[in-house]
Amino acid sequence: MFLRLLVGTSTIFISLILGAFALAVVGYNSPETLSTMLAWARDLKGVITSTGIDPKYNIWVELLLEERQLLFMFFTIAARILLALLAAPFMSR
């Protein structure tokens, strides 16, 4: 059980690092692509905040959710998927 917890925690940590690295690589090698992705994140934030949620809650979503966070989450999730695909052949039950 401890080994499973260690593997899960390390996967999350490594995916955060890989996501940040991938974000930096895309920004350095193709800034126009990163700018386009940031515009998509801005549009996604607009979709999320215009869902008709009670204003009492929606104001917090608008205040706390930023485009940069959404973009970083995308790269982190992509890194998680990549790590899972790479680790799948080695993980056996």
Side-chain angles (χ1 to χ4, degrees), residues 73-85:
M73 276 192 284
F74 167 77
F75 279 102
T76 302
I77 291 170
R80 278 292 302 252
I81 292 170
L82 179 67
L83 284 174
L85 291 174

Side-chain angles (χ1 to χ4, degrees), residues 56-90:
K56 177 168 74 171
Y57 304 112
N58 197 37
I59 189 66
W60 292 108
V61 174
E62 288 181 31
L63 191 66
L64 297 174
L65 188 65
E66 293 185 12
E67 296 86 7
R68 294 172 293 177
Q69 291 171 337
L70 288 171
L71 192 58
F72 181 61
M73 276 192 284
F74 167 77
F75 279 102
T76 302
I77 291 170
R80 278 292 302 252
I81 292 170
L82 179 67
L83 284 174
L85 291 174
L86 291 175
F90 302 107

Side-chain angles (χ1 to χ4, degrees), residues 13-81:
F13 181 71
I14 292 170
S15 66
L16 286 170
I17 292 172
L18 285 176
F21 183 72
L23 179 67
V25 166
V26 170
Y28 182 75
N29 291 328
S30 184
E32 59 278 348
T33 301
L34 191 62
S35 179
T36 302
M37 293 175 83
L38 195 58
W40 289 344
R42 196 172 299 115
D43 293 342
L44 180 60
K45 180 184 177 183
V47 168
I48 291 171
T49 57
S50 66
T51 56
I53 300 174
D54 187 352
K56 177 168 74 171
Y57 304 112
N58 197 37
I59 189 66
W60 292 108
V61 174
E62 288 181 31
L63 191 66
L64 297 174
L65 188 65
E66 293 185 12
E67 296 86 7
R68 294 172 293 177
Q69 291 171 337
L70 288 171
L71 192 58
F72 181 61
M73 276 192 284
F74 167 77
F75 279 102
T76 302
I77 291 170
R80 278 292 302 252
I81 292 170

